[in-house]
Amino acid sequence: MVRKLLPVLLILLMLPVIALADVQVIDDANLFNPNEVIQMIDTIGRIELNHQVDIVVLTTNDVPTDYSEEMWRVRNYADDYYDNGNYGMGPDNSGMLILLDMHNRVMWLSTGGVMIEYINDSREEAILDDAYAYLSYGSYGSAINAALDRVERYMNKGREEGTFLYDEVTGERLSGMYNALTSGEIG
């Protein structure tokens, strides 16, 4: 009797987790197959559980055309989607939105809270490089999964030495510099 009920109980316990995770992968451009989404949800779940940050994947065709070199509309769309969707964990809404904009044919990473300190410019570039290796072949799910794998590795590594937050407008430093002391320096 217990052996028959155990699988049913496990499925019932997993339903809230599965329902919550589905919200984190919004495939409005219909680019992913079910297996790719399951892999994304698995990686996102591990990152969120281990690091208390929110990860959202969004594909869309709705970003307005952006002819600027800096891609401000794409950046603003990603930032606004994250903010208006009430994503993020903790008081600083820590997390990341990975946007695959099919209209402008670009991928964008939007970070918030402590995630900004983990995904600095050089790490962001490496994440995008991993994804673009697949995007050039139209393997959209593989691209996002490669990006998520890299994000997870960086989160597990921790913040890079010398990173800090600053205000993009004023240039003012908002957080202290993260410096790891070596055993020789401690001695």
Coordinates of all heavy atoms in Angstrom, one line a residue, residues 11-101:
I11 N 4.6 13.0 -6.6 CA 4.1 13.9 -7.7 C 3.4 15.1 -7.1 O 3.5 16.2 -7.6 CB 3.3 13.0 -8.6 CG1 4.2 12.1 -9.4 CG2 2.5 13.9 -9.6 CD1 3.4 11.1 -10.3
L12 N 2.5 14.8 -6.1 CA 1.7 15.9 -5.5 C 2.6 17.0 -4.9 O 2.4 18.1 -4.9 CB 0.7 15.4 -4.5 CG -0.4 14.6 -5.1 CD1 -1.3 14.0 -4.0 CD2 -1.3 15.5 -6.0
L13 N 3.7 16.5 -4.2 CA 4.7 17.4 -3.6 C 5.4 18.2 -4.6 O 5.8 19.4 -4.4 CB 5.6 16.7 -2.7 CG 5.1 16.1 -1.4 CD1 6.1 15.2 -0.7 CD2 4.6 17.2 -0.5
M14 N 5.7 17.7 -5.8 CA 6.4 18.3 -6.9 C 5.6 19.3 -7.7 O 6.1 20.2 -8.3 CB 7.0 17.3 -7.8 CG 8.1 16.5 -7.2 SD 9.6 17.5 -6.8 CE 10.2 17.9 -8.4
L15 N 4.3 19.2 -7.6 CA 3.4 20.1 -8.5 C 3.6 21.6 -8.2 O 3.8 22.3 -9.2 CB 1.9 19.7 -8.3 CG 1.5 18.5 -9.0 CD1 0.0 18.2 -8.7 CD2 1.7 18.6 -10.5
P16 N 3.7 22.0 -6.9 CA 4.0 23.5 -6.7 C 5.3 23.9 -7.3 O 5.5 25.0 -7.9 CB 3.9 23.6 -5.2 CG 3.2 22.5 -4.7 CD 3.4 21.4 -5.7
V17 N 6.3 23.1 -7.2 CA 7.7 23.4 -7.7 C 7.6 23.5 -9.2 O 8.2 24.4 -9.8 CB 8.7 22.3 -7.2 CG1 10.1 22.6 -7.9 CG2 8.8 22.4 -5.7
I18 N 7.0 22.5 -9.8 CA 6.9 22.5 -11.3 C 6.1 23.7 -11.8 O 6.5 24.4 -12.7 CB 6.2 21.2 -11.8 CG1 7.2 20.0 -11.5 CG2 5.9 21.2 -13.3 CD1 6.6 18.6 -11.7
A19 N 5.0 24.0 -11.1 CA 4.2 25.2 -11.5 C 5.0 26.5 -11.4 O 4.9 27.3 -12.2 CB 2.9 25.2 -10.7
L20 N 5.7 26.6 -10.3 CA 6.5 27.8 -10.1 C 7.6 27.9 -11.1 O 7.9 29.0 -11.7 CB 7.1 27.8 -8.7 CG 8.0 28.9 -8.3 CD1 7.2 30.2 -8.3 CD2 8.6 28.7 -6.9
A21 N 8.3 26.8 -11.4 CA 9.4 26.8 -12.3 C 8.9 27.2 -13.8 O 9.6 27.8 -14.5 CB 10.1 25.5 -12.3
D22 N 7.7 26.8 -14.1 CA 7.2 27.1 -15.5 C 7.1 28.5 -15.7 O 7.3 29.0 -16.9 CB 5.8 26.4 -15.7 CG 5.9 24.9 -16.0 OD1 7.0 24.4 -16.2 OD2 4.9 24.3 -15.9
V23 N 6.9 29.3 -14.7 CA 6.8 30.8 -14.8 C 8.2 31.4 -15.2 O 8.3 32.4 -15.8 CB 6.3 31.4 -13.5 CG1 6.3 32.9 -13.6 CG2 4.9 30.9 -13.2
Q24 N 9.2 30.7 -14.8 CA 10.6 31.2 -15.1 C 11.1 31.0 -16.5 O 12.1 31.6 -16.9 CB 11.6 30.5 -14.1 CG 11.2 30.6 -12.6 CD 11.0 32.0 -12.1 OE1 10.0 32.7 -12.3 NE2 12.1 32.5 -11.5
V25 N 10.4 30.2 -17.3 CA 10.8 30.1 -18.7 C 9.6 30.5 -19.5 O 8.6 29.8 -19.6 CB 11.2 28.6 -19.1 CG1 11.5 28.5 -20.5 CG2 12.4 28.2 -18.2
I26 N 9.6 31.7 -20.1 CA 8.6 32.3 -20.9 C 9.0 32.3 -22.3 O 9.8 33.1 -22.7 CB 8.2 33.7 -20.4 CG1 7.9 33.7 -18.9 CG2 7.1 34.3 -21.2 CD1 8.9 34.4 -18.0
D27 N 8.5 31.3 -23.1 CA 8.9 31.1 -24.4 C 7.8 31.7 -25.4 O 7.2 30.9 -26.1 CB 9.2 29.6 -24.7 CG 9.7 29.3 -26.1 OD1 10.2 30.3 -26.7 OD2 9.7 28.2 -26.5
D28 N 7.7 33.0 -25.4 CA 6.7 33.6 -26.2 C 7.0 33.5 -27.7 O 6.1 33.6 -28.6 CB 6.5 35.1 -25.9 CG 5.9 35.3 -24.5 OD1 5.2 34.3 -24.0 OD2 6.0 36.4 -24.0
A29 N 8.2 33.3 -28.1 CA 8.6 33.1 -29.5 C 8.6 31.7 -29.9 O 8.9 31.4 -31.1 CB 10.0 33.7 -29.7
N30 N 8.2 30.8 -29.1 CA 8.0 29.3 -29.4 C 9.3 28.7 -30.0 O 9.3 28.2 -31.1 CB 6.9 29.1 -30.3 CG 5.6 29.4 -29.6 OD1 5.3 29.1 -28.5 ND2 4.7 30.2 -30.3
L31 N 10.4 28.8 -29.2 CA 11.7 28.4 -29.7 C 12.2 27.1 -29.1 O 13.1 26.4 -29.7 CB 12.8 29.4 -29.5 CG 12.5 30.8 -30.1 CD1 13.6 31.8 -29.6 CD2 12.5 30.7 -31.6
F32 N 11.6 26.7 -28.0 CA 12.2 25.5 -27.2 C 11.3 24.3 -27.3 O 10.1 24.4 -27.4 CB 12.3 25.9 -25.7 CG 13.1 27.2 -25.5 CD1 12.6 28.0 -24.5 CD2 14.2 27.5 -26.2 CE1 13.3 29.2 -24.2 CE2 14.9 28.7 -25.9 CZ 14.4 29.5 -24.9
N33 N 11.9 23.1 -27.3 CA 11.1 21.9 -27.2 C 11.0 21.6 -25.7 O 11.7 22.1 -24.8 CB 11.8 20.8 -28.0 CG 13.1 20.3 -27.4 OD1 13.2 20.1 -26.3 ND2 14.1 20.1 -28.3
P34 N 10.1 20.7 -25.3 CA 9.8 20.3 -23.9 C 11.1 19.9 -23.2 O 11.3 20.2 -22.0 CB 8.8 19.2 -24.0 CG 8.1 19.5 -25.3 CD 9.1 20.0 -26.2
N35 N 11.9 19.1 -23.8 CA 13.1 18.6 -23.1 C 14.1 19.7 -22.8 O 14.7 19.7 -21.7 CB 13.9 17.5 -24.0 CG 13.1 16.2 -24.1 OD1 12.3 15.9 -23.2 ND2 13.2 15.5 -25.2
E36 N 14.2 20.7 -23.7 CA 15.1 21.9 -23.4 C 14.5 22.7 -22.2 O 15.3 23.1 -21.4 CB 15.2 22.7 -24.7 CG 15.9 22.1 -25.8 CD 15.8 22.8 -27.1 OE1 14.8 23.5 -27.4 OE2 16.7 22.7 -28.0
V37 N 13.2 22.8 -22.2 CA 12.6 23.6 -21.1 C 12.8 22.9 -19.8 O 13.1 23.5 -18.8 CB 11.1 23.8 -21.4 CG1 10.4 24.4 -20.1 CG2 10.9 24.7 -22.6
I38 N 12.7 21.5 -19.8 CA 12.9 20.8 -18.5 C 14.3 21.0 -18.1 O 14.6 21.1 -16.9 CB 12.6 19.3 -18.8 CG1 11.1 19.1 -18.9 CG2 13.1 18.4 -17.7 CD1 10.6 17.7 -19.4
Q39 N 15.3 20.9 -19.0 CA 16.7 21.1 -18.6 C 16.9 22.6 -18.0 O 17.6 22.7 -17.1 CB 17.6 20.9 -19.8 CG 19.1 20.9 -19.5 CD 19.9 20.6 -20.7 OE1 19.5 20.2 -21.7 NE2 21.2 20.9 -20.5
M40 N 16.3 23.6 -18.7 CA 16.3 24.9 -18.2 C 15.8 25.0 -16.7 O 16.4 25.6 -15.9 CB 15.6 25.9 -19.1 CG 16.2 26.1 -20.4 SD 15.1 27.1 -21.4 CE 15.6 26.6 -23.1
I41 N 14.6 24.5 -16.6 CA 14.0 24.5 -15.2 C 14.8 23.8 -14.2 O 14.9 24.3 -13.1 CB 12.5 23.9 -15.3 CG1 11.6 24.8 -16.1 CG2 12.0 23.6 -13.9 CD1 10.3 24.1 -16.5
D42 N 15.5 22.7 -14.5 CA 16.3 22.0 -13.6 C 17.5 22.9 -13.2 O 17.8 23.0 -12.0 CB 16.8 20.7 -14.2 CG 17.7 19.9 -13.3 OD1 17.2 19.7 -12.1 OD2 18.7 19.4 -13.7
T43 N 18.2 23.5 -14.1 CA 19.3 24.4 -13.8 C 18.9 25.6 -13.0 O 19.5 26.0 -12.1 CB 20.0 24.8 -15.1 OG1 20.4 23.6 -15.9 CG2 21.3 25.6 -14.8
I44 N 17.8 26.2 -13.5 CA 17.3 27.4 -12.8 C 16.9 27.1 -11.3 O 17.3 27.8 -10.4 CB 16.0 28.0 -13.5 CG1 16.4 28.6 -14.8 CG2 15.3 29.0 -12.6 CD1 15.3 29.0 -15.7
G45 N 16.3 25.9 -11.1 CA 15.9 25.5 -9.8 C 17.2 25.3 -8.9 O 17.1 25.7 -7.7
R46 N 18.2 24.7 -9.4 CA 19.5 24.6 -8.6 C 20.1 25.9 -8.3 O 20.5 26.1 -7.1 CB 20.5 23.7 -9.4 CG 20.2 22.2 -9.4 CD 21.5 21.4 -9.8 NE 22.0 21.9 -11.1 CZ 21.7 21.6 -12.3 NH1 20.7 20.7 -12.5 NH2 22.3 22.1 -13.4
I47 N 20.1 26.8 -9.3 CA 20.7 28.1 -9.0 C 19.9 28.9 -7.9 O 20.4 29.4 -7.0 CB 20.8 29.0 -10.3 CG1 21.7 28.3 -11.3 CG2 21.2 30.4 -10.0 CD1 21.7 29.0 -12.7
E48 N 18.6 28.9 -8.1 CA 17.7 29.6 -7.1 C 17.8 29.0 -5.7 O 17.9 29.7 -4.8 CB 16.3 29.6 -7.6 CG 16.0 30.4 -8.9 CD 14.6 30.4 -9.4 OE1 13.8 29.6 -8.9 OE2 14.3 31.3 -10.2
L49 N 17.8 27.7 -5.7 CA 17.9 27.0 -4.3 C 19.2 27.3 -3.7 O 19.3 27.6 -2.5 CB 17.7 25.5 -4.5 CG 17.7 24.7 -3.2 CD1 16.5 25.0 -2.4 CD2 17.7 23.2 -3.6
N50 N 20.3 27.2 -4.4 CA 21.7 27.3 -3.8 C 22.1 28.7 -3.6 O 23.0 29.0 -2.7 CB 22.7 26.6 -4.7 CG 22.5 25.1 -4.7 OD1 22.0 24.5 -3.8 ND2 22.8 24.5 -5.9
H51 N 21.5 29.7 -4.3 CA 22.1 31.1 -4.3 C 21.0 32.1 -3.9 O 21.4 33.3 -3.9 CB 22.8 31.4 -5.6 CG 23.9 30.4 -5.9 ND1 25.1 30.5 -5.2 CD2 24.0 29.4 -6.7 CE1 25.9 29.5 -5.6 NE2 25.2 28.8 -6.6
Q52 N 19.8 31.7 -3.8 CA 18.7 32.7 -3.4 C 18.6 33.9 -4.4 O 18.5 35.0 -4.0 CB 18.9 33.2 -2.0 CG 19.1 32.2 -0.9 CD 18.2 30.9 -1.0 OE1 17.1 31.0 -0.8 NE2 18.7 29.8 -1.4
V53 N 18.7 33.6 -5.7 CA 18.5 34.6 -6.8 C 17.5 34.0 -7.7 O 17.3 32.8 -7.9 CB 19.8 34.9 -7.5 CG1 20.8 35.5 -6.6 CG2 20.4 33.7 -8.2
D54 N 16.8 34.9 -8.4 CA 15.7 34.5 -9.3 C 16.3 34.5 -10.7 O 17.1 35.5 -11.1 CB 14.6 35.6 -9.3 CG 13.3 35.1 -9.5 OD1 13.1 33.9 -9.9 OD2 12.3 35.8 -9.4
I55 N 16.0 33.5 -11.5 CA 16.5 33.4 -12.9 C 15.3 33.3 -13.8 O 14.4 32.4 -13.6 CB 17.4 32.2 -13.1 CG1 18.6 32.2 -12.2 CG2 17.9 32.2 -14.6 CD1 19.6 33.3 -12.4
V56 N 15.2 34.2 -14.8 CA 14.0 34.1 -15.7 C 14.6 34.1 -17.1 O 15.5 34.8 -17.5 CB 13.2 35.4 -15.6 CG1 12.0 35.4 -16.5 CG2 12.7 35.6 -14.1
V57 N 14.0 33.2 -18.0 CA 14.3 33.1 -19.4 C 13.1 33.6 -20.2 O 12.0 33.2 -19.9 CB 14.7 31.7 -19.8 CG1 14.8 31.6 -21.3 CG2 15.9 31.2 -19.1
L58 N 13.3 34.5 -21.1 CA 12.3 35.1 -21.9 C 12.7 35.1 -23.4 O 13.7 35.6 -23.7 CB 11.9 36.5 -21.4 CG 11.0 37.4 -22.3 CD1 9.6 36.7 -22.3 CD2 10.9 38.8 -21.9
T59 N 11.8 34.6 -24.2 CA 12.0 34.7 -25.7 C 10.8 35.6 -26.2 O 9.6 35.4 -25.7 CB 12.0 33.4 -26.4 OG1 10.7 32.8 -26.4 CG2 13.1 32.5 -25.9
T60 N 11.0 36.5 -27.1 CA 10.0 37.3 -27.6 C 10.3 37.9 -29.0 O 11.4 37.9 -29.4 CB 9.7 38.5 -26.6 OG1 8.6 39.3 -27.0 CG2 11.0 39.4 -26.5
N61 N 9.2 38.3 -29.6 CA 9.3 39.0 -30.9 C 8.8 40.5 -30.7 O 8.7 41.2 -31.7 CB 8.5 38.4 -32.0 CG 9.0 37.0 -32.4 OD1 10.1 36.9 -32.8 ND2 8.2 36.0 -32.2
D62 N 8.6 40.9 -29.5 CA 7.9 42.1 -29.2 C 8.8 43.4 -28.9 O 8.3 44.4 -28.7 CB 7.0 42.0 -28.0 CG 5.8 41.0 -28.3 OD1 5.5 40.8 -29.5 OD2 5.3 40.4 -27.3
V63 N 10.1 43.2 -28.8 CA 10.9 44.3 -28.6 C 10.9 45.2 -29.8 O 11.1 44.8 -30.9 CB 12.4 43.9 -28.2 CG1 13.3 45.1 -27.9 CG2 12.4 42.9 -27.0
P64 N 10.7 46.6 -29.6 CA 10.7 47.5 -30.8 C 12.1 47.4 -31.5 O 13.1 47.1 -30.9 CB 10.5 48.8 -30.2 CG 9.9 48.6 -28.8 CD 10.4 47.3 -28.4
T65 N 12.1 47.7 -32.8 CA 13.3 47.8 -33.5 C 14.3 48.8 -32.9 O 13.9 49.9 -32.5 CB 13.0 48.2 -35.0 OG1 12.1 47.2 -35.5 CG2 14.3 48.2 -35.8
D66 N 15.5 48.4 -32.8 CA 16.5 49.3 -32.2 C 17.7 49.4 -33.1 O 18.4 48.4 -33.3 CB 17.0 48.6 -30.8 CG 17.8 49.6 -30.0 OD1 18.3 50.6 -30.5 OD2 17.8 49.4 -28.8
Y67 N 17.9 50.6 -33.7 CA 19.0 50.8 -34.6 C 20.2 51.4 -33.9 O 21.2 51.6 -34.5 CB 18.5 51.8 -35.7 CG 17.4 51.2 -36.6 CD1 16.1 51.7 -36.5 CD2 17.6 50.1 -37.4 CE1 15.1 51.1 -37.2 CE2 16.6 49.6 -38.2 CZ 15.4 50.1 -38.1 OH 14.4 49.5 -38.8
S68 N 20.1 51.7 -32.6 CA 21.2 52.2 -31.9 C 22.3 51.2 -31.7 O 22.0 50.0 -31.6 CB 20.8 52.8 -30.5 OG 20.5 51.7 -29.7
E69 N 23.5 51.6 -31.7 CA 24.6 50.7 -31.5 C 24.6 50.1 -30.1 O 25.1 49.0 -29.9 CB 25.9 51.5 -31.7 CG 27.1 50.6 -32.0 CD 28.3 51.4 -32.4 OE1 28.2 52.1 -33.4 OE2 29.4 51.3 -31.7
E70 N 24.1 50.8 -29.1 CA 24.2 50.4 -27.7 C 23.0 49.5 -27.4 O 23.0 48.9 -26.3 CB 24.2 51.6 -26.8 CG 25.5 52.3 -26.8 CD 25.6 53.3 -27.9 OE1 24.6 53.7 -28.5 OE2 26.7 53.7 -28.2
M71 N 22.0 49.3 -28.2 CA 20.8 48.5 -28.0 C 20.1 48.9 -26.7 O 19.7 48.1 -25.9 CB 21.3 47.0 -27.9 CG 21.9 46.4 -29.1 SD 20.9 46.5 -30.6 CE 19.7 45.3 -30.2
W72 N 19.8 50.2 -26.6 CA 19.1 50.7 -25.4 C 17.7 50.2 -25.2 O 17.3 49.9 -24.1 CB 19.1 52.2 -25.4 CG 20.5 52.8 -25.2 CD1 21.2 53.5 -26.1 CD2 21.4 52.6 -24.1 NE1 22.4 53.8 -25.7 CE2 22.6 53.3 -24.4 CE3 21.3 52.0 -22.9 CZ2 23.6 53.4 -23.5 CZ3 22.3 52.1 -22.0 CH2 23.5 52.8 -22.3
R73 N 17.0 50.1 -26.4 CA 15.6 49.6 -26.3 C 15.6 48.1 -25.8 O 14.7 47.8 -25.0 CB 14.9 49.7 -27.6 CG 14.5 51.1 -28.0 CD 13.7 51.1 -29.2 NE 13.5 52.5 -29.6 CZ 13.1 52.9 -30.7 NH1 12.9 52.0 -31.7 NH2 13.0 54.2 -31.0
V74 N 16.5 47.3 -26.2 CA 16.5 45.9 -25.8 C 16.9 45.9 -24.3 O 16.2 45.2 -23.6 CB 17.6 45.1 -26.7 CG1 17.7 43.7 -26.1 CG2 17.2 45.1 -28.1
R75 N 17.8 46.7 -23.9 CA 18.2 46.7 -22.5 C 17.0 47.1 -21.6 O 16.7 46.5 -20.6 CB 19.4 47.6 -22.3 CG 19.8 47.6 -20.8 CD 20.9 48.6 -20.5 NE 20.2 49.9 -20.3 CZ 20.8 51.0 -19.7 NH1 22.1 50.9 -19.4 NH2 20.2 52.1 -19.5
N76 N 16.4 48.2 -22.1 CA 15.3 48.8 -21.3 C 14.1 47.8 -21.2 O 13.4 47.6 -20.2 CB 14.8 50.1 -21.9 CG 15.8 51.2 -21.7 OD1 16.7 51.1 -20.8 ND2 15.7 52.2 -22.4
Y77 N 13.9 47.1 -22.3 CA 12.8 46.1 -22.4 C 13.1 45.0 -21.4 O 12.2 44.6 -20.6 CB 12.7 45.5 -23.8 CG 11.5 44.5 -24.0 CD1 10.3 45.0 -24.5 CD2 11.7 43.2 -23.7 CE1 9.2 44.1 -24.6 CE2 10.6 42.3 -23.8 CZ 9.4 42.8 -24.3 OH 8.3 41.9 -24.5
A78 N 14.3 44.5 -21.4 CA 14.7 43.4 -20.4 C 14.6 43.9 -19.0 O 14.0 43.2 -18.1 CB 16.1 42.9 -20.7
D79 N 15.1 45.1 -18.7 CA 15.1 45.6 -17.3 C 13.6 45.8 -16.9 O 13.3 45.5 -15.8 CB 15.9 46.9 -17.2 CG 17.4 46.7 -17.4 OD1 17.8 45.6 -17.3 OD2 18.1 47.7 -17.5
D80 N 12.8 46.4 -17.8 CA 11.4 46.7 -17.4 C 10.6 45.4 -17.2 O 9.8 45.3 -16.3 CB 10.8 47.5 -18.5 CG 11.3 49.0 -18.5 OD1 12.0 49.4 -17.5 OD2 11.0 49.7 -19.5
Y81 N 10.9 44.4 -18.1 CA 10.2 43.1 -17.9 C 10.5 42.5 -16.6 O 9.6 42.0 -15.9 CB 10.5 42.2 -19.1 CG 9.6 41.0 -19.2 CD1 8.5 41.0 -20.1 CD2 9.8 39.9 -18.4 CE1 7.7 39.9 -20.1 CE2 9.0 38.8 -18.5 CZ 7.9 38.8 -19.4 OH 7.0 37.7 -19.4
Y82 N 11.7 42.5 -16.2 CA 12.2 41.9 -14.9 C 11.5 42.7 -13.8 O 10.9 42.1 -12.9 CB 13.7 42.0 -14.8 CG 14.2 41.3 -13.6 CD1 14.4 39.9 -13.6 CD2 14.6 42.0 -12.5 CE1 15.0 39.3 -12.4 CE2 15.1 41.4 -11.3 CZ 15.3 40.0 -11.3 OH 15.8 39.4 -10.2
D83 N 11.6 44.0 -13.8 CA 11.1 44.9 -12.7 C 9.6 44.8 -12.6 O 9.0 44.6 -11.6 CB 11.5 46.3 -12.9 CG 13.0 46.5 -12.7 OD1 13.7 45.6 -12.1 OD2 13.5 47.5 -13.2
N84 N 8.9 44.9 -13.8 CA 7.4 44.9 -13.8 C 6.8 43.5 -13.5 O 5.7 43.4 -13.1 CB 6.9 45.4 -15.1 CG 7.3 46.9 -15.3 OD1 7.4 47.6 -14.3 ND2 7.4 47.3 -16.5
G85 N 7.6 42.4 -13.7 CA 7.2 41.1 -13.5 C 7.3 40.7 -12.0 O 7.0 39.6 -11.6
N86 N 7.9 41.6 -11.2 CA 8.1 41.4 -9.8 C 9.0 40.2 -9.6 O 8.8 39.4 -8.7 CB 6.8 41.2 -9.0 CG 6.0 42.5 -9.0 OD1 6.5 43.6 -8.8 ND2 4.7 42.4 -9.3
Y87 N 10.0 40.1 -10.4 CA 11.0 39.0 -10.2 C 12.1 39.5 -9.3 O 12.2 40.7 -9.0 CB 11.6 38.6 -11.6 CG 10.7 38.1 -12.6 CD1 10.2 38.8 -13.7 CD2 10.1 36.8 -12.3 CE1 9.3 38.2 -14.6 CE2 9.2 36.2 -13.2 CZ 8.8 36.9 -14.3 OH 7.9 36.4 -15.2
G88 N 12.9 38.5 -8.8 CA 14.0 38.8 -7.9 C 13.7 38.3 -6.5 O 12.5 38.2 -6.1
M89 N 14.7 38.0 -5.8 CA 14.6 37.5 -4.4 C 15.3 38.5 -3.5 O 16.3 39.1 -3.8 CB 15.3 36.1 -4.3 CG 14.6 35.0 -5.0 SD 15.3 33.4 -4.6 CE 14.4 32.4 -5.7
G90 N 14.7 38.5 -2.3 CA 15.3 39.4 -1.2 C 14.9 40.8 -1.4 O 14.3 41.2 -2.4
P91 N 15.4 41.7 -0.5 CA 15.1 43.1 -0.5 C 15.6 43.8 -1.7 O 15.1 44.9 -2.1 CB 15.7 43.6 0.8 CG 16.7 42.6 1.2 CD 16.3 41.3 0.6
D92 N 16.7 43.3 -2.3 CA 17.3 43.9 -3.5 C 16.9 43.3 -4.8 O 17.4 43.6 -5.9 CB 18.8 44.0 -3.4 CG 19.5 42.6 -3.3 OD1 18.7 41.6 -3.2 OD2 20.7 42.5 -3.4
N93 N 15.9 42.4 -4.8 CA 15.3 41.7 -6.0 C 16.4 41.1 -6.8 O 16.5 41.3 -8.0 CB 14.5 42.7 -6.8 CG 13.3 43.2 -6.1 OD1 12.7 42.5 -5.4 ND2 13.0 44.5 -6.3
S94 N 17.3 40.3 -6.1 CA 18.4 39.7 -6.8 C 18.0 38.7 -7.8 O 17.1 37.8 -7.6 CB 19.3 39.0 -5.8 OG 19.9 39.9 -4.9
G95 N 18.6 38.7 -9.0 CA 18.3 37.8 -10.0 C 18.8 38.2 -11.4 O 19.5 39.2 -11.5
M96 N 18.3 37.5 -12.4 CA 18.8 37.7 -13.8 C 17.6 37.4 -14.7 O 16.9 36.4 -14.5 CB 20.0 36.9 -14.1 CG 20.3 36.8 -15.5 SD 21.7 35.6 -15.8 CE 23.0 36.7 -15.7
L97 N 17.5 38.2 -15.8 CA 16.6 37.8 -16.9 C 17.5 37.6 -18.1 O 18.4 38.4 -18.4 CB 15.6 39.0 -17.2 CG 14.7 38.7 -18.4 CD1 13.3 38.7 -17.9 CD2 15.0 39.7 -19.5
I98 N 17.3 36.5 -18.8 CA 18.0 36.2 -20.0 C 17.0 36.4 -21.1 O 16.0 35.6 -21.2 CB 18.6 34.7 -20.0 CG1 19.5 34.5 -18.9 CG2 19.2 34.4 -21.4 CD1 20.0 33.1 -18.7
L99 N 17.2 37.4 -21.9 CA 16.3 37.7 -23.0 C 16.8 37.3 -24.3 O 18.0 37.6 -24.7 CB 16.0 39.2 -23.0 CG 15.2 39.8 -24.2 CD1 13.8 39.3 -24.2 CD2 15.3 41.3 -24.2
L100 N 16.0 36.6 -25.1 CA 16.3 36.2 -26.5 C 15.3 37.0 -27.3 O 14.2 36.6 -27.4 CB 16.2 34.7 -26.7 CG 16.8 34.1 -27.9 CD1 18.2 34.7 -28.2 CD2 16.9 32.6 -27.9
D101 N 15.8 38.1 -27.9 CA 14.9 39.0 -28.7 C 15.0 38.6 -30.1 O 16.0 38.9 -30.8 CB 15.4 40.4 -28.4 CG 14.8 41.4 -29.4 OD1 13.7 41.1 -30.0 OD2 15.3 42.5 -29.5

